[in-house]
Amino acid sequence: MIFETVEQLAVPSLETRASFAEIVRTIAAHDAAMAARPEMNSVEVGGAPSSSETSLAFPFTVSAWNLERCLFAPESAAHLAETGAPVVLLSEMDNGMARTGQRHPTAEVADTLGMQYAYGIEFIELGLGSDTEREFCEDDFNAKGFHGNALMASVPLGRPFMLRLWGERLWFTDGEQPRLGERMAIGAVLETEDGPFVAVSTHLESATTAVYRERQFKELIDAVVEAFPGLPLLIGGDLNTGNHAGGDFEAEGLFAVSAARGFTRHGGPLDVMTTRPSLITRWPERAMKLDWFLSRGLKIGETRIIPSLDETGRPLSDHDLITCVVEGFE
């Protein structure tokens, strides 16, 4: 569990990032390189709540959204604003990537919504991305090369943290999109009128099996429960359920593991998928149910799946936005 926070993440030079490509392709060498990088071992906390309120009043809405790099930060922020959610969980957020104009979309969205944010790096991208992503690049380099997850809220974030969900470093050896890093979760303690709870934004591995994700989710639960004993928990994000299982999300053991630990899942209607074709992911036949909330110690009301289209009908992501209403503590 990483609790070190900074106002801005350190940025490795282009030369340093180029040297990552020369690292021998072993887990030990990969992890040694990660351990030496401060930006991979700290959480960026920025922005500020626009309100003087320091606690959330029940009921309130939480939004979770895989923003697929966040090509359109202003439009995405406007889409989130329509939900009225004072807590937002985001995944696949670029920072200093050529394909998203070298911008920091997390900071932009938080500023528009009037929220404080915590941002952590999932991967340092060693290239410009896939062939379709390269179509959005005006530069032939990444200013930072960061790609990660975020949590933001209209109230102060208490004890922001990041947790690596260690696996087999699958993307380190990928020929098309080589990356240094591993999947992760980012969270914080949020105050409500009845006391604190822990909110966690996470992104499980896509390029693997249900057993792999089950192990990741078990380790996530174990770590958060140990760090924040007794506090209600809400975990949300892209759990990649059904990947490499023909889209069968019920084949995921992580649901049974979480239920055994007292968690309840919330994903809206089970027959409504959460993916769609986008400007990057152009597969019209792709329809999967990947995005969920899992709660413990919280009363959860309606869960909705909201199409990720702007006012012109343009897709903002290959994932639809999901929301849930937190009605109180159990």
Side-chain angles (χ1 to χ4, degrees), residues 46-50 63 65 67 69-83 85-94 103-119 150-154 316 321:
S50 60
S63 293
W65 197 4
L67 261 171
R69 306 2 177 179
C70 197
L71 289 173
F72 311 107
E75 294 86 348
S76 298
H79 199 53
L80 285 163
E82 291 177 358
T83 71
V87 180
V88 175
L89 315 176
L90 300 177
S91 52
E92 290 199 14
M93 299 297 288
D94 277 358
R103 304 184 337 270
H104 191 349
T106 296
E108 293 179 35
V109 171
D111 182 64
T112 299
L113 297 179
M115 293 184 174
Q116 188 174 44
Y117 72 85
Y119 175 83
L151 164 71
M152 55 186 67
S154 63
L316 299 173
L321 168 66

Side-chain angles (χ1 to χ4, degrees), residues 234-254:
L234 181 67
I235 301 171
D238 176 5
L239 305 188
N240 272 304
T241 44
N243 260 311
H244 294 263
D248 182 8
F249 59 85
E250 296 290 15
E252 298 283 336
L254 67 88

Side-chain angles (χ1 to χ4, degrees), residues 58-282:
F58 295 118
F60 60 85
T61 298
V62 179
S63 293
W65 197 4
N66 178 325
L67 261 171
E68 195 188 26
R69 306 2 177 179
C70 197
L71 289 173
F72 311 107
E75 294 86 348
S76 298
H79 199 53
L80 285 163
E82 291 177 358
T83 71
V87 180
V88 175
L89 315 176
L90 300 177
S91 52
E92 290 199 14
M93 299 297 288
D94 277 358
N95 181 358
M97 290 288 298
R99 64 196 176 199
T100 41
Q102 312 289 15
R103 304 184 337 270
H104 191 349
T106 296
E108 293 179 35
V109 171
D111 182 64
T112 299
L113 297 179
M115 293 184 174
Q116 188 174 44
Y117 72 85
Y119 175 83
I121 300 172
E122 191 168 68
F123 299 110
I124 296 179
E125 301 261 4
L126 306 186
L128 298 179
S130 66
D131 289 342
T132 54
E133 289 168 334
R134 288 171 181 265
E135 296 176 17
F136 297 94
C137 297
E138 294 185 2
D139 298 324
D140 61 359
F141 67 95
N142 296 318
K144 298 178 183 176
F146 298 165
H147 184 68
N149 303 329
L151 164 71
M152 55 186 67
S154 63
V155 296
L157 304 179
R159 296 188 69 195
F161 66 88
M162 178 169 64
L163 176 70
R164 293 278 170 208
L165 305 177
W166 295 109
E168 298 172 8
R169 323 312 189 261
L170 298 175
W171 295 90
F172 185 50
T173 57
D174 185 80
E176 182 182 9
Q177 298 183 61
R179 309 170 183 176
L180 183 78
E182 189 60 285
R183 300 295 185 182
M184 47 81 82
I186 192 159
V189 177
L190 302 178
E191 290 291 337
T192 77
E193 58 189 1
D194 291 340
F197 79 103
V198 179
V200 181
S201 173
T202 195
H203 188 199
L204 302 187
E205 184 55 63
S206 59
T208 190
T209 64
V211 172
Y212 193 110
R213 286 185 290 273
E214 178 183 337
R215 183 176 68 250
Q216 287 185 315
F217 204 75
K218 180 182 181 299
E219 292 173 356
L220 169 58
I221 292 174
D222 288 345
V224 175
V225 168
E226 180 180 359
F228 304 98
L231 290 188
L233 303 172
L234 181 67
I235 301 171
D238 176 5
L239 305 188
N240 272 304
T241 44
N243 260 311
H244 294 263
D248 182 8
F249 59 85
E250 296 290 15
E252 298 283 336
L254 67 88
F255 290 130
V257 165
S258 59
R261 300 292 298 273
F263 285 81
T264 303
R265 78 176 184 184
H266 315 275
L270 293 182
D271 61 345
V272 178
M273 303 298 102
T274 62
T275 63
R276 66 172 52 250
S278 71
L279 300 188
I280 293 175
T281 305
R282 304 165 185 173

